[in-house]
Amino acid sequence: GVTEVTIRNRYKELAKNLDITVYKWGHLKVKKRDDNIYHIKLEHEDDLYHLNLLLDEGDMVRSLTERREASQSDRIRKERGKKQKMRLTIDVKNVEYQSFGQRLRCHGVIAVGERDQGSHHTLILEPGDDFEIGKSNWLSHHKKRLKEASEPIVTAVAVAIESDSIVIAELRTYGLRELKTLNRAGSGKSTGGEELKEFYLRTVKQLVDVHIKGAIMVVVGPGFLKEDFVEVGKNEAPEIFSGCVIENSGQGGMSGIHEAIGKGRLPKAVAQIKIQEEMANIEKLKESISKDMGTYGKLQVEKAIEAGAVESLLILSEETRNEQGRKLLSLAEQNRTEIIEISSHHHGGEMLSGLGNVAAILRYR
C-alpha cells in the first residue's frame, strides 16, 4: 500500500539526515561522501560523455578493477600472471573516450591499493560500474555537469525524407550521429526503378531494426513527402510511430536534421535533449554576430566580459578543462553572465570550434 512517491520522499528525508546529496531520479546516480568525494554509478552510455569532461589530471578515482599478478618465470618459459579483482585508488593522468563509445579508459598511477603502489594502471569504466571521484576542488561547472548528468535520458531517432534518399540519425544528450543512408533504386516506375511506397516500406523495416527503445521518432524534410512516409510508418510499425513528431525543413539529409533541431521548435519531450538547446543558442549567436551583437575568440570575449557587455558566454565543453577556459568561466560567474556549454559532437560545436572555441552574445555593441 506504500506509493512510489512516499518511498521517494522518505528516501530524500533519510538522505538529508545523513548529509548525502541526492540529485534527480535520472540515469547517473550521484551521492556526496564529503566535501571532496562523490560516489557515482554509471547507468547509461551517455554518462561516459559527462564523466570524460568531469575527470581532470590529479583527480583520485577509486574503483573495483582487475590487475594481473606479477609475471612469474622459470628457466624454461615465462607465464603471465592471473588477473585478480581488487579495489584501487589511482591518481588520474589522462582519460580516453570516443564519442558514442561504450567504455572509458582512465589511466593513472596507483595511489592506494593492496599492492603495486606507484605502478601504472588503467581503469576501464562502463555502464553498471560504480566508483568514487575525489577532487581537491569541485568547481561550479563540475557540479552543474553532475546535475545535468543525473537528469532522465531522452533520445530520439531523426529521419530526413527526400524523394531519392532517406537519412536515419540518432539524437543523444550531447550529439548527433548518422546511423544509415538509404537510396531509392532508380527514379520511378517508368524506368523500372523502386516505387516511392516500396522505398518507404524498406526504410520502415530498417527503422524497426535500428530503433532505440523509448526513443522519440522525429521526421523532417521539405514538402509533403514526410507526411506520406509517416502514414506508411504508422500502418507498418505503429509501436514506434505512434508518438511521431513531424518538422518541416528546407533541405533533406543531415543538413535538414541540423536545421530542424536548430530552430528549437521541437516538442518539450525532444527539447530535453540538450543538443536542441545548444543548436538553438548557436543559431542565436550567428544572428548576433551578423548584427554586430556578438564576438568570438578568447581575447575578445574576455575583454567583453570584463566590460560587463556579455549576455551569454558560449564555450566548447572541452575548454572547461584548461586554465584559460576556466579563467573565462570564473570571469563570467563574477559578472553574472549566463554560461552555455556546447558539445563538440554536433554541427553547432564544429562551428564554435571554428570561432576559437568560445564566443559571446552581447548586451550591447
Side-chain angles (χ1 to χ4, degrees), residues 45-54 95-104 145 169-179 254 257-258 261 273-276 278-279 282 315-319 321 341-354 357:
E45 289 173 14
D46 282 10
D47 297 342
L48 298 173
Y49 166 77
H50 294 291
L51 182 60
N52 177 49
L53 293 170
L54 273 173
V95 176
E96 287 181 21
Y97 170 72
Q98 188 173 5
S99 60
F100 298 93
Q102 298 178 340
R103 55 172 52 182
L104 178 145
R145 183 161 296 282
E170 178 187 3
L171 277 73
R172 293 274 280 274
T173 307
Y174 58 87
L176 174 66
R177 67 168 169 173
E178 184 177 332
L179 296 177
M254 291 297 288
I257 295 171
H258 279 120
I261 298 168
I273 301 175
K274 198 166 182 291
I275 180 177
Q276 180 175 228
E278 293 180 9
M279 292 281 284
I282 290 293
I315 182 167
L316 210 63
S317 293
E318 285 78 3
E319 282 293 307
R321 304 174 76 167
E341 283 190 38
I342 304 291
S343 167
S344 60
H345 302 298
H346 58 71
H347 181 66
E350 291 170 7
M351 181 195 160
L352 186 59
S353 177
N357 299 342

Side-chain angles (χ1 to χ4, degrees), residues 191-238:
T191 58
E194 186 178 23
E195 287 198 41
L196 204 53
K197 187 172 181 180
E198 291 175 355
F199 183 35
Y200 289 168
L201 286 168
R202 182 159 62 92
T203 303
V204 170
K205 287 178 182 177
Q206 291 288 331
L207 277 168
V208 171
D209 291 339
V210 303
H211 188 70
I212 304 155
K213 186 178 179 182
I216 300 157
M217 181 78 69
V218 181
V219 179
V220 307
F224 298 102
L225 291 174
K226 54 189 178 295
E227 283 80 4
D228 297 336
F229 172 76
V230 169
E231 187 177 342
V232 173
K234 285 183 175 179
N235 289 331
E236 298 297 320

Side-chain angles (χ1 to χ4, degrees), residues 62-318:
R62 183 166 179 78
S63 175
L64 186 66
T65 184
E66 287 187 338
R67 185 167 174 83
R68 206 175 289 279
E69 292 177 348
S71 298
Q72 298 174 351
S73 61
D74 54 33
R75 293 181 181 179
I76 301 172
R77 65 176 184 177
K78 292 184 178 181
E79 294 180 359
R80 298 186 75 189
K82 294 179 180 178
K83 282 188 175 180
Q84 288 185 328
K85 284 192 174 182
M86 58 184 69
R87 195 165 291 278
L88 299 175
T89 301
I90 71 165
D91 182 352
V92 177
K93 298 304 177 188
N94 68 292
V95 176
E96 287 181 21
Y97 170 72
Q98 188 173 5
S99 60
F100 298 93
Q102 298 178 340
R103 55 172 52 182
L104 178 145
R105 299 170 68 86
C106 181
H107 305 284
V109 173
I110 299 172
V112 181
E114 296 175 20
R115 56 181 173 80
D116 300 338
Q117 278 90 344
S119 298
H120 287 270
H121 185 74
T122 298
L123 296 175
I124 298 175
L125 302 172
E126 52 195 3
D129 291 344
D130 64 294
F131 50 93
E132 292 181 346
I133 297 178
K135 286 180 177 287
S136 57
N137 184 22
W138 285 83
L139 302 174
S140 56
H141 76 274
H142 290 140
K143 293 178 181 178
K144 181 183 175 184
R145 183 161 296 282
L146 283 179
K147 289 183 179 180
E148 287 178 358
S150 66
E151 291 172 357
I153 284 286
V154 181
T155 55
V157 173
V159 187
I161 306 294
E162 289 183 289
S163 60
D164 294 327
S165 69
I166 293 176
V167 174
I168 302 170
E170 178 187 3
L171 277 73
R172 293 274 280 274
T173 307
Y174 58 87
L176 174 66
R177 67 168 169 173
E178 184 177 332
L179 296 177
K180 196 176 285 284
T181 297
L182 301 171
N183 294 309
R184 184 181 174 193
S187 56
K189 189 175 181 181
S190 60
T191 58
E194 186 178 23
E195 287 198 41
L196 204 53
K197 187 172 181 180
E198 291 175 355
F199 183 35
Y200 289 168
L201 286 168
R202 182 159 62 92
T203 303
V204 170
K205 287 178 182 177
Q206 291 288 331
L207 277 168
V208 171
D209 291 339
V210 303
H211 188 70
I212 304 155
K213 186 178 179 182
I216 300 157
M217 181 78 69
V218 181
V219 179
V220 307
F224 298 102
L225 291 174
K226 54 189 178 295
E227 283 80 4
D228 297 336
F229 172 76
V230 169
E231 187 177 342
V232 173
K234 285 183 175 179
N235 289 331
E236 298 297 320
E239 67 282 1
I240 66 173
F241 277 85
S242 58
C244 180
V245 174
I246 300 175
E247 178 63 39
N248 193 51
S249 65
Q251 53 195 325
M254 291 297 288
S255 297
I257 295 171
H258 279 120
E259 179 190 331
I261 298 168
K263 289 177 181 176
R265 292 206 305 256
L266 296 180
K268 287 183 179 178
V270 186
Q272 290 180 47
I273 301 175
K274 198 166 182 291
I275 180 177
Q276 180 175 228
E277 177 191 337
E278 293 180 9
M279 292 281 284
N281 278 301
I282 290 293
E283 289 300 315
K284 187 178 177 182
L285 172 67
K286 286 163 65 177
E287 186 181 344
S288 299
I289 291 173
S290 70
K291 295 178 179 177
D292 201 22
M293 289 291 290
T295 190
Y296 51 88
K298 294 182 178 69
L299 186 60
Q300 290 84 350
V301 170
E302 183 179 344
K303 286 180 179 178
I305 294 173
E306 288 174 340
V310 177
E311 180 183 299
S312 303
L313 167 68
L314 279 68
I315 182 167
L316 210 63
S317 293
E318 285 78 3

